Amino acid sequence: MRGGGKKNSKGTVLLVHPWIYDFAAYNLWIEPLGLLTIASALRDNGYAVAVLDCLAPYPGAPAARADGSGKFLKTVLDKPAILASVPRRYGRYGLPLDGFDAALASAQRPYVVMVASGMTYWYPGVVEAIRRLRAQHARVPVALGGVYATLCPEHARQHSGADLVITGPGVAPALRFADKVTGHNSEPDRYADPRAWPAPAHDLVSRPFAAIVTSWGCPYHCTYCASHRLQPAHVRRETGAVVQEIACCAERGIQDVAFYDDALLAGGGCHLTAILQAILARGLRVRLHAPNGLHAREITEELALLMRRAGMATVRLSLETIDPIRQQTTGAKVTTDAFARAVAYLRAAGYGASELGAYVLAGLPGQPLAEVRDTVRYVQSLGVQAKLALFSPIPGTPEGDRALAPGADPLLHNNTVYPYLLGADYQSELQRIQQVAKDGNLALLRGSRTV
């Protein structure tokens, strides 16, 4: 557990980042940015804060790769009854339970606890964290926010054990909750606009990397995505604030920085261009990653060259499908021609198969698996790794509501689980396509090493 900020008569606010409960999980530069932004706002308003991060490195955890990404420790668990038919090993990823309990026991008693939530189907981690918090600090008020809280608020109110469930952007509501409990007078209304939010308190968590957001929300409304429910407006941060945040991380010895925007290139790529130019102007030596899908139509020859010069080492593009009708009806954010043009620019800038990947969506309601297979082969024919992204039926989205009945247990939102709901034949064919993608990617990587 790590703490920071002014200690005051109102006591400490404890911020908790729970475990992942899933069949699979990999650390692609995951950092609890929402929670750390709230931590910064609390500190700015005189609160002492501490963070208990179940996904942070700890003694005995798997070692990270050279770029900071890596595996989590997995503790295998019995599957919830609703998932009993899924022939995969279910587990808890992150800090062992005794480590969590020991950190709580050794820390100052908090006056307020705030718990983050990630994917809706990870909610068992939220429930477990709050249950253990209650066991040691039964009377301490607990607020829950984040993705699960926003997309499934009624389920969270019924099952999480939290006193308050915060939906949507949580900085101002979190301050109001802390003020109500402690009697402290802060200024929550100043954080109504995301552009007034302080930079996340990266110093409060232990990571060999930093995740950065340069904007919130997305101007597109893809039928399978909940971005607009989590952040209704598309708002960009000032270039100077973003680059200063990266510089502060670099001063702490952080070399790897991952952009976690939903729409990093929306609007012509000018926003990223300004950030990369400023990084070069300041001489910042960082390795940059873009694990979220970039909008291919915004990549120009000039931007591709700038990305290479500034140290962008991981590039993931959004394609999803080569079917033109499905491209149009699910969001109209990309065309196959725009994707091919972006790949040509990136390869001309020096990017190879080890650095380039494209997301291919599988499992949309009504989507033939032959379409998925053809998209995989097309992506790989351009020298790009095909990254299969299995459809998750997110509630409140058109595709999610087509796939599952309202009120379904959030465990069924899991993208590993959903294909099994479509039958054995479907799952068997999907596994064949997954193997085609894996074999093709390996062939590309072997080829790139022999050039």
Side-chain angles (χ1 to χ4, degrees):
M1 186 180 299
R2 304 186 70 175
K6 300 176 183 178
K7 187 174 180 179
N8 58 57
S9 61
K10 302 304 178 186
T12 298
V13 178
L14 173 62
L15 307 175
V16 178
H17 187 210
W19 305 271
I20 293 172
Y21 277 55
D22 206 337
F23 293 98
Y26 190 80
N27 189 358
L28 280 176
W29 308 288
I30 295 174
E31 198 174 16
L33 293 179
L35 202 67
L36 297 181
T37 302
I38 290 171
S40 286
L42 287 165
R43 291 201 300 196
D44 288 350
N45 285 274
Y47 284 97
V49 296
V51 174
L52 178 45
D53 184 0
C54 296
L55 299 183
Y58 56 88
R65 297 176 57 189
D67 64 4
S69 64
K71 296 181 179 180
F72 296 111
L73 173 71
K74 181 175 183 176
T75 303
V76 177
L77 305 173
D78 291 336
K79 285 176 284 193
I82 198 171
L83 304 181
S85 63
V86 179
R88 299 280 297 275
R89 295 201 309 167
Y90 189 74
R92 179 179 55 249
Y93 293 83
L95 182 69
L97 294 181
D98 57 359
F100 183 90
D101 293 341
L104 275 183
S106 64
Q108 178 186 6
R109 177 183 174 86
Y111 274 60
V112 183
V113 177
M114 298 182 184
V115 180
S117 64
M119 299 297 190
T120 57
Y121 46 88
W122 294 348
Y123 79 82
V126 170
V127 174
E128 184 67 25
I130 294 177
R131 186 181 71 81
R132 289 179 175 271
L133 286 161
R134 296 292 192 200
Q136 294 205 36
H137 304 302
R139 296 177 180 269
V140 175
V142 177
L144 171 67
V147 176
Y148 160 61
T150 298
L151 298 181
C152 301
E154 290 307 316
H155 188 277
R157 292 185 184 105
Q158 293 176 25
H159 299 280
S160 71
D163 298 294
L164 174 69
V165 173
I166 297 172
T167 61
V171 179
L175 274 171
R176 291 192 188 97
F177 182 67
D179 286 353
K180 181 178 179 180
V181 172
T182 65
H184 185 68
N185 291 315
S186 64
E187 301 178 68
D189 291 342
R190 68 188 263 208
Y191 301 107
D193 187 333
R195 286 166 292 197
W197 293 351
H202 297 282
D203 60 291
L204 290 179
V205 294
S206 174
R207 294 285 196 282
F209 58 83
I212 302 286
V213 290
T214 79
S215 64
W216 300 276
C218 180
Y220 293 95
H221 286 76
C222 295
T223 57
Y224 47 81
C225 179
S227 178
H228 62 285
R229 291 194 62 200
L230 300 172
Q231 173 61 55
H234 181 225
V235 181
R236 292 193 180 97
R237 296 173 63 192
E238 293 183 359
T239 299
V242 173
V243 177
Q244 181 58 34
E245 182 182 347
I246 295 172
C248 289
C249 291
E251 289 171 3
R252 294 176 45 240
I254 299 295
Q255 182 181 9
D256 289 280
V257 174
F259 292 110
Y260 258 82
D261 299 55
D262 289 330
L264 184 61
L265 296 185
C270 298
H271 179 59
L272 179 61
T273 295
I275 291 168
L276 297 181
Q277 289 172 339
I279 287 173
L280 289 170
R282 292 187 61 163
L284 298 178
R285 296 182 176 274
V286 288
R287 188 163 46 211
L288 304 172
H289 308 277
N292 285 3
L294 298 176
H295 290 87
R297 70 196 316 165
E298 310 296 356
I299 295 179
T300 64
E301 181 179 10
E302 295 76 17
L303 179 56
L305 290 167
L306 179 60
M307 289 164 60
R308 192 67 175 175
R309 285 179 52 223
M312 186 76 80
T314 303
V315 178
R316 298 290 178 261
L317 303 173
S318 287
L319 176 61
E320 272 70 74
T321 177
I322 57 172
D323 182 88
I325 296 175
R326 204 174 310 280
Q327 287 172 348
Q328 187 67 30
T329 58
T330 57
K333 68 178 181 181
V334 69
T335 65
T336 304
D337 287 346
F339 175 81
R341 186 164 53 248
V343 170
Y345 291 145
L346 290 164
R347 290 184 64 83
Y351 284 99
S354 63
E355 300 150 308
L356 290 177
Y359 292 119
V360 176
L361 193 55
L364 280 171
Q367 180 188 32
L369 283 175
E371 176 188 313
V372 179
R373 181 196 61 227
D374 292 346
T375 304
V376 166
R377 289 174 173 168
Y378 174 76
V379 166
Q380 292 174 336
S381 75
L382 298 181
V384 178
Q385 294 184 68
K387 303 290 184 179
L388 272 185
L390 301 183
F391 167 68
S392 175
I394 303 170
T397 65
E399 301 293 353
D401 291 343
R402 285 177 61 194
L404 286 180
D409 191 311
L411 290 172
L412 298 180
H413 302 164
N414 193 320
N415 59 359
T416 299
V417 173
Y418 184 68
Y420 288 96
L421 303 181
L422 301 179
D425 290 345
Y426 184 95
Q427 180 61 31
S428 177
E429 180 59 24
L430 176 61
Q431 289 175 341
R432 282 193 283 271
I433 294 172
Q434 289 173 317
Q435 190 61 49
V436 167
K438 181 179 179 180
D439 292 344
N441 291 343
L442 288 174
L444 285 173
L445 293 174
R446 284 195 296 267
S448 69
R449 286 194 289 267
T450 61
V451 173

